[in-house]
C-alpha cells in the first residue's frame, strides 16, 4: 500500500471520530519540522488543530542567556563550541549573533557533539573552550559524558555552559496556565528514549490528559494523532507509545544515571514561560571546574524587558506564527527578531519556510 | 628537481618557478598554446563564445570521488555546457600555501589533466602563486573557460506553462560527501562526490532545439535553490513530486543524521533541464543514455499557479514550499 493510500485511510478514520474541535500540542522541534515539511496540517480534518509548543531548545532560550553567551564569545582566548543552530540566534540586540561576532574576530566553532568540543580543548591548550550545552533530555547524557571524560582526563581548559532543560516541569507549567486548552499531547520520541514511557505518565495520572509518544516520520505522527483522537473520543487518558522501535517503558537508565551523576535540577528561565522551578540542569559542585558559569562568573538575571518579539506566546501555543504582527514583515529567517524564526526547528521558521 | 614541499621560492618567478612549470605543469598539459609559455594564449575561435569562471576553495582538497583539481575542471566545463556552449579552452590559476606537499600538487594536476581530457578541453594558460604559511587553506584554484556557443536561446525566460522539469540523477551527493569528509569520526559512509563533466549530455540535449528551455547545474544551494532561481520574479511556478526526486539511500540516511536536506546540498555532476511537454520523454532518454544520467527522472511541471514559487508534493499527500537557502545549512541540535 502506498504512503498516500495509507495516510488517506487514517485521515478518514480521524474524520469519522466526531470529537468536535480538538487541540493537540507537540513539544519537540523535530516534530515541528516533520509536520511542516510533510504538509501534514493540510490533510488533517478541520476540527483537528496542531499546535507547536516549547519543544525547540533554541526557541526557549531567553535573551538574557543569549546575551551572556554573546558577551562571553568576545572574551580573550575563549573558543565557543556549539551546535550549528545556535550561531544565528540573536539576544536582546538585533543583528548581534555568534555568526556576526565570528566575522568580527570571535572564535566560534560548530560541532556535532560535545566530545568534539572536548577534543578541541585537548588539542588547543592555549584556548578556553566553552561548549554551549543546549537541549533537553536528549542531549543531556552526551553532555554529561563530556564532563565526565574531561574530569577523567583532567582537562584544564574545557567548560560547559549548561542551557539544558527538562520537559516535565515545562509541561506542568503549561498545564497550570489559565489559558491552557490542549486536549492531547504528541510526545517527543527522542526525549522518551531517555526518560521512557514512565517519564510521561504523570500527564494521564495527575491531569487526565492523553499523550502518545511519537516517532518522527510523518506516518508516525499521523498514527499518533489517530490514537490521540480515539482516546479523546472515548474519554480515555493514557500514555501510549507509538515509537516502540526506540522507546522502552523505563527509558535509558544508563543515560539517566550519567545525567544524574553530573547534573542536578535547578531553576531555569524559559522564554515565554518565565522562571520554572527545577526545570534546568545545573552542573553539580563536584564538577564545578567544568562549569562555565563558575569559571567565568556568569549570572543570569531576568531583564523584565518588553520586546516586540512574540516568540514566548508562540511557544505556549497562544498565537500562531502568522498571528504575530512581525511575521514576514519585520521578522524572517534572514533577519530574525527572535529564536522561533531563526532556529530550523522553530514554529515561525517552519511556517515561513514550508507552509503555503 | 622538485622538493618535497612547495616553498615561497616556487612563486617568486625565478628558477624554482620555472622548474615547477617545466617539470610539472607543461608536460602534463601538452598543447601548442601552453608550450609557447607566452603571457597570453592566442586561440582559434568559432562564432559566439561562452565564457565562465569559478574559484575553488573546497576543504578537504582531496575527497571521496575526486579532488579540487577535478572539481575545478568540471565546475567550469559544466557552467559553459549548461549555458549552451561546447567547452574548448581553460585557464588555470593556483594559489598555493607554503608547505603544501608536492605529491598532493602532482595528484591534483594529474586529476586536472584527466578531467580535461574527458571534457575535451585544453589548459592553454595559467598562473601560480605561493603565499606564506597561514595565509591560504592549502590550495585555491580558479578556472576560466571559453566555449563555442552551440545551443543559443537558453534562458529562464523561455519557460512556459506545462513544461516539464528533469534532473539527470541523484541529488545531494557532493555536498553530503564533503560534509562527511570534514567529519570522518561522525559517520562511516561510502558516499562519493558526483563530480563529473556534463558537456556531452548538455550538447545532446541541445539537439532538442527550442524545446529545451534552460539548463543549470545545481551546485551550491542544491536543486531547490536552482528551481527557485528559475521562477522567481516570473509569472510561473513549479510543482514537483518529492517521490520522483532521486536521492541515493545512503545520502538520505546521512542527511537525516546530519540534519541536512539533500534538496539543498550541492551537486557537481548533475544538471536540471526544463523542456516542453512533448519533448520530455525524449529528453529523459537522452539523459539516461549517458554515463552520468542513468538515474535521470522527470520530477515536476511548470504551472501558472503560485507564480514565483516552487511547491513540492509530499508522499503523505501534503505540500510545502521550497524556498531559497538563506545561508549555509546548519545541522540541527537534537
Amino acid at each position: 500500500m502506498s504512503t498516500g493510500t495509507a495516510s488517506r485511510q487514517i485521515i478518514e478514520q480521524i474524520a469519522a471520530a466526531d470529537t468536535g474541535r480538538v487541540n493537540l500540542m507537540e513539544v519537540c522541534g523535530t516534530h515541528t519540522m516533520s509536520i511542516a515539511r510533510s504538509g501534514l496540517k493540510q490533510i488533517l480534518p478541520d476540527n483537528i488543530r496542531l499546535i507547536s509548543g516549547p519543544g525547540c531548545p533554541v526557541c526557549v532560550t531567553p535573551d538574557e542567556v543569549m546575551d551572556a553567551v554573546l558577551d562571553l564569545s568576545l572574551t580573550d582566548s575563549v573558543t565557543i563550541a556549539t551546535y550549528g543552530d545556535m550561531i544565528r540566534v540573536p539576544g536582546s540586540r538585533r543583528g548581534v549573533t555568534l555568526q556576526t561576532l565570528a566575522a568580527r574576530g570571535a572564535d566560534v566553532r560548530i560541532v556535532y557533539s560535545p566530545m568534539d568540543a572536548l577534543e578541541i580543548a585537548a588539542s588547543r591548550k592555549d584556548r578556553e573552550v566553552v561548549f554551549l550545552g543546549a537541549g533537553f533530555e536528549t542531549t543531556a547524557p552526551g553532555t554529561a559524558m563530556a564532563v565526565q571524560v574531561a574530569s577523567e582526563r583532567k582537562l584544564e581548559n574545557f567548560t560547559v555552559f549548561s542551557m539544558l532543560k527538562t520537559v516535565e516541569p515545562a509541561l506542568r507549567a503549561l498545564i497550570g496556565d489559565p489559558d491552557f486548552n490542549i486536549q492531547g499531547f504528541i510526545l517527543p520520541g527522542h526525549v522518551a528514549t531517555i526518560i521512557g514511557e514512565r517519564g510521561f505518565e504523570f500527564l494521564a495520572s495527575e491531569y487526565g490528559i492523553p499523550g502518545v509518544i511519537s516517532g518522527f516520520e510523518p506516518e508516525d505522527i499521523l498514527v499518533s494523532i489517530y490514537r490521540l483522537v480515539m482516546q479523546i473520543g472515548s474519554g480515555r487518558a493514557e500514555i501510549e507509545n507509538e515509537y516502540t522501535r526506540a522507546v522502552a517503558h523505563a527509558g535509558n537508565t544508563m543515560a539517566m544515571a550519567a545525567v544524574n551523576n553530573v547534573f542536578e535540577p535547578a531553576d531555569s528561565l524559559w522564554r515565554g514561560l518565565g522562571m520554572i522551578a527545577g526545570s534546568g540542569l545545573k552542573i553539580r559542585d563536584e564538577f564545578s571546574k567544568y562549569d562555565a558559569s563558575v569559571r567565568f562568573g556568569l549570572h543570569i538575571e531576568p531583564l523584565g524587558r518588553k520586546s516586540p518579539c512574540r516568540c514566548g506566546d508562540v511557544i505556549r501555543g497562544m498565537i500562531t506564527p502568522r498571528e504575530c504582527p512581525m511575521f514576514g514583515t519585520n521578522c524572517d529567517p534572514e533577519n530574525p527578531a527572535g529564536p522561533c524564526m531563526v532556529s530550523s526547528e522553530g514554529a515561525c521558521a517552519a511556517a515561513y519556510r514550508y507552509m503555503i | 628537481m622538485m622538493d618535497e614541499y612547495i616553498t615561497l621560492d616556487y612563486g617568486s618567478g625565478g628558477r624554482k618557478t620555472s622548474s615547477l612549470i617545466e617539470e610539472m605543469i607543461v608536460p602534463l598539459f601538452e598543447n601548442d598554446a601552453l608550450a609557447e609559455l607566452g603571457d597570453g594564449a592566442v586561440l582559434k575561435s568559432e562564432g559566439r563564445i561562452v565564457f565562465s569562471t569559478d574559484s575553488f576553495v573546497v576543504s578537504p582538497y582531496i575527497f571521496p570521488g575526486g579532488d579540487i583539481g577535478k572539481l575545478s575542471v568540471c565546475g567550469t566545463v559544466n557552467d559553459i555546457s549548461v549555458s549552451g556552449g561546447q567547452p574548448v579552452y581553460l585557464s588555470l590559476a593556483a594559489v598555493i600555501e607554503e608547505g603544501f606537499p608536492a605529491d598532493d600538487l602532482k595528484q591534483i594536476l594529474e586529476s586536472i589533466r584527466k578531467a580535461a581530457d574527458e571534457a575535451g578541453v585544453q589548459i592553454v594558460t595559467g598562473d601560480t602563486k605561493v603565499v606564506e604559511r597561514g595565509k591560504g587553506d592549502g590550495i585555491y584554484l580558479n578556472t576560466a573557460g571559453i566555449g563555442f556557443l552551440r545551443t543559443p536561446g537558453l534562458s529562464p525566460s523561455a519557460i512556459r506553462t506545462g513544461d516539464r522539469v528533469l534532473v539527470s540523477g541523484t541529488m545531494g551527493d557532493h555536498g553530503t560527501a564533503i560534509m562527511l569528509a570534514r567529519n570522518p569520526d561522525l559517520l562511516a559512509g561510502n558516499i562519493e562526490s558526483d563530480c563529473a563533466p556534463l558537456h556531452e549530455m548538455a550538447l545532446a540535449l541541445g539537439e532538442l532545439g527550442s524545446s529545451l528551455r534552460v539548463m543549470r547545474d545545481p551546485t551550491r544551494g542544491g536543486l531547490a535553490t536552482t528551481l527557485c532561481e528559475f521562477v522567481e520574479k516570473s509569472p510561473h511556478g513549479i510543482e514537483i513530486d518529492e517521490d520522483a526526486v532521486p536521492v541515493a539511500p545512503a545520502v538520505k540516511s546521512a542527511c537525516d543524521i546530519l540534519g541536512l536536506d539533500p534538496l539543498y546540498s550541492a551537486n557537481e555532476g548533475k544538471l536540471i533541464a526544463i523542456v516542453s511537454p512533448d519533448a520530455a520523454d525524449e529528453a529523459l532518454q537522452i539523459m539516461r543514455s549517458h554515463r552520468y544520467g542513468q538515474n535521470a527522472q522527470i520530477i515536476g511541471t511548470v504551472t501558472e499557479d503560485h507564480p514565483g514559487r516552487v511547491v513540492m508534493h509530499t508522499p503523505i499527500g501534503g505540500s510545502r514550499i521550497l524556498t531559497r537557502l538563506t545561508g549555509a545549512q546548519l545541522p540541527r541540535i537534537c
Side-chain angles (χ1 to χ4, degrees):
Chain A
M1 178 185 294
S2 75
T3 304
T5 315
S7 55
R8 259 200 307 280
Q9 291 190 346
I10 298 176
I11 297 292
E12 279 163 25
Q13 300 273 7
I14 292 174
D18 189 33
T19 52
R21 177 62 165 229
V22 165
N23 295 331
L24 303 175
M25 179 181 267
E26 46 84 0
V27 289
C28 169
T30 311
H31 279 148
T32 310
M33 213 188 59
S34 186
I35 289 167
R37 285 171 56 110
S38 64
L40 193 62
K41 286 187 185 180
Q42 290 147 18
I43 60 173
L44 286 176
D46 288 336
N47 63 312
I48 311 287
R49 197 169 152 231
L50 286 188
I51 296 165
S52 258
C56 157
V58 168
C59 305
V60 300
T61 301
D63 282 346
E64 294 87 335
V65 173
M66 265 332 284
D67 284 346
V69 165
L70 293 164
D71 289 338
L72 188 60
S73 77
L74 291 171
T75 309
D76 239 353
S77 80
V78 164
T79 294
I80 302 283
T82 175
Y83 300 119
D85 224 8
M86 300 295 297
I87 71 167
R88 286 208 274 257
V89 180
S92 62
R93 288 157 291 170
R94 199 143 177 195
V96 179
T97 65
L98 286 172
Q99 190 175 54
T100 57
L101 293 181
R104 282 191 256 156
D107 188 7
V108 179
R109 319 267 182 107
I110 294 179
V111 294
Y112 280 93
S113 109
M115 293 304 294
D116 292 344
L118 191 143
E119 291 308 330
I120 294 174
S123 65
R124 292 293 308 271
K125 293 290 163 71
D126 57 314
R127 307 295 304 171
E128 276 282 342
V129 177
V130 179
F131 173 69
L132 301 185
F136 296 106
E137 284 94 333
T138 316
T139 55
T143 314
M145 195 175 86
V147 172
Q148 278 176 272
V149 172
S151 173
E152 284 158 25
R153 287 166 61 171
K154 298 189 175 23
L155 284 182
E156 296 283 322
N157 61 330
F158 175 76
T159 52
V160 169
F161 181 57
S162 175
M163 304 157 72
L164 291 165
K165 292 172 158 44
T166 50
V167 169
E168 178 180 332
L171 290 175
R172 288 185 185 274
L174 275 174
I175 295 168
D177 189 305
D179 293 326
F180 180 75
N181 181 20
I182 305 292
Q183 285 71 53
F185 282 105
I186 299 167
L187 293 170
H190 291 150
V191 171
T193 61
I194 305 298
I195 70 176
E197 292 171 24
R198 67 177 174 186
F200 291 107
E201 267 155 15
F202 73 97
L203 288 170
S205 60
E206 289 180 44
Y207 298 102
I209 301 174
V212 176
I213 298 169
S214 178
F216 299 93
E217 298 300 312
E219 296 86 342
D220 286 312
I221 299 170
L222 198 52
V223 167
S224 301
I225 291 172
Y226 166 75
R227 286 162 81 159
L228 278 169
V229 166
M230 291 298 114
Q231 285 202 46
I232 293 166
S234 59
R236 282 182 294 129
E238 290 157 23
I239 303 304
E240 291 185 57
N241 183 2
E242 186 277 338
Y243 199 28
T244 49
R245 58 192 191 270
V247 175
H249 182 256
N252 185 330
T253 47
M254 222 167 71
M256 287 309 302
V259 172
N260 290 329
N261 182 236
V262 172
F263 294 102
E264 59 188 356
D267 296 347
S268 185
L269 193 61
W270 293 61
R271 181 182 293 268
L273 296 170
M275 187 67 85
I276 303 181
S279 65
L281 290 176
K282 172 188 166 301
I283 295 175
R284 289 184 187 273
D285 287 341
E286 52 261 50
F287 292 104
S288 65
K289 218 176 129 188
Y290 306 99
D291 186 340
S293 337
V294 171
R295 170 78 59 99
F296 297 99
L298 303 171
H299 297 287
I300 313 294
E301 299 293 336
L303 286 172
R305 199 187 288 154
K306 271 288 169 206
S307 137
C309 171
R310 302 283 303 275
C311 190
D313 290 334
V314 171
I315 58 179
R316 285 187 306 141
M318 292 298 134
I319 60 169
T320 66
R322 283 175 198 275
E323 286 166 354
C324 171
M326 297 209 287
F327 182 85
T329 54
N330 280 358
C331 183
D332 60 46
E334 276 169 41
N335 190 21
C340 292
M341 183 59 87
V342 73
S343 167
S344 56
E345 297 175 8
C348 299
Y352 190 93
R353 286 210 166 94
Y354 301 128
M355 317 290 218
I356 300 173
Chain B
M1 190 44 205
M2 295 279 312
D3 304 307
E4 213 182 320
Y5 297 100
I6 304 298
T7 62
L8 283 172
D9 286 341
Y10 284 98
S12 65
R15 197 167 294 166
K16 289 258 191 206
T17 305
S18 301
S19 77
L20 173 65
I21 295 174
E22 282 159 24
E23 287 177 39
M24 266 203 183
I25 296 179
V26 171
L28 267 181
F29 300 114
E30 259 173 36
N31 60 69
D32 294 338
L34 190 63
E36 282 277 332
L37 290 179
D39 281 344
V42 180
L43 308 165
K44 268 181 148 50
S45 172
E46 278 175 39
R48 290 160 74 195
I49 61 171
V50 180
F51 182 45
S52 177
T53 184
D54 242 325
S55 296
F56 302 88
V57 300
V58 65
S59 174
Y61 54 78
I62 297 172
F63 45 83
D67 58 37
I68 192 174
K70 184 179 179 191
L71 198 58
S72 72
V73 171
C74 294
T76 296
V77 158
N78 291 345
D79 280 342
I80 292 171
S81 301
V82 299
S83 306
Q86 177 187 359
V88 191
Y89 307 119
L90 284 189
S91 72
L92 172 67
V95 178
I96 307 170
E97 189 185 4
E98 182 185 16
F100 193 81
D103 280 347
D104 284 356
L105 181 60
K106 191 154 181 289
Q107 181 180 335
I108 288 169
L109 291 171
E110 281 169 356
S111 292
I112 293 174
R113 164 66 193 262
K114 237 175 109 199
D117 282 349
E118 189 183 349
V121 297
Q122 293 183 329
I123 315 286
V124 295
T125 187
D127 179 67
T128 318
K129 294 285 185 302
V130 181
V131 294
E132 286 165 7
R133 190 187 295 278
K135 300 220 169 152
D137 192 13
I139 183 167
Y140 298 143
L141 293 179
N142 170 279
T143 50
I146 290 174
F148 300 146
L149 183 64
R150 300 294 186 216
T151 312
L154 296 173
S155 159
S157 59
I159 293 173
R160 299 283 172 267
T161 303
D163 284 350
R164 306 308 307 278
V165 182
L166 285 83
V167 298
S168 65
T170 54
M171 294 282 101
D173 297 17
H174 177 80
T176 310
I178 295 297
M179 197 57 106
L180 282 182
R182 283 190 196 147
N183 294 281
D185 304 323
L186 190 62
L187 281 180
N190 245 1
I191 296 173
E192 292 196 344
S193 165
D194 60 345
C195 182
L198 300 170
H199 56 298
E200 283 180 351
M201 192 191 296
L203 269 174
L205 287 169
E207 303 283 305
L208 294 170
S210 60
S211 293
L212 176 67
R213 314 297 199 199
V214 67
M215 294 184 284
R216 202 155 283 181
D217 61 334
T219 52
R220 278 180 306 178
L223 168 70
T225 305
T226 300
L227 292 179
C228 289
E229 284 170 0
F230 279 154
V231 294
E232 64 188 359
K233 300 186 180 122
S234 89
H236 298 108
I238 288 179
E239 289 188 10
I240 66 172
D241 279 317
E242 187 169 358
D243 271 337
V245 179
V247 178
V251 168
K252 182 173 189 320
S253 301
C255 283
D256 275 347
I257 295 177
L258 293 171
L260 303 173
D261 188 337
L263 299 185
Y264 287 90
S265 295
N267 308 272
E268 294 289 341
K270 301 286 167 14
L271 65 83
I272 302 175
I274 304 214
V275 300
S276 64
D278 48 300
D281 286 335
E282 194 184 345
L284 188 64
Q285 289 322 307
I286 292 172
M287 285 184 177
R288 285 186 177 167
S289 68
H290 275 86
R291 180 177 170 193
Y292 300 119
Q294 275 150 29
N295 293 313
Q297 294 287 350
I298 301 175
I299 64 167
T301 313
V302 177
T303 112
E304 49 200 16
D305 301 330
H306 45 81
R309 282 191 167 171
V310 179
V311 171
M312 184 164 78
H313 298 297
T314 64
I316 205 169
S319 311
R320 66 158 158 130
I321 303 176
L322 284 185
T323 51
R324 272 171 159 283
L325 207 55
T326 48
Q329 284 196 79
L330 292 175
R332 288 198 330 270
I333 294 182
C334 56

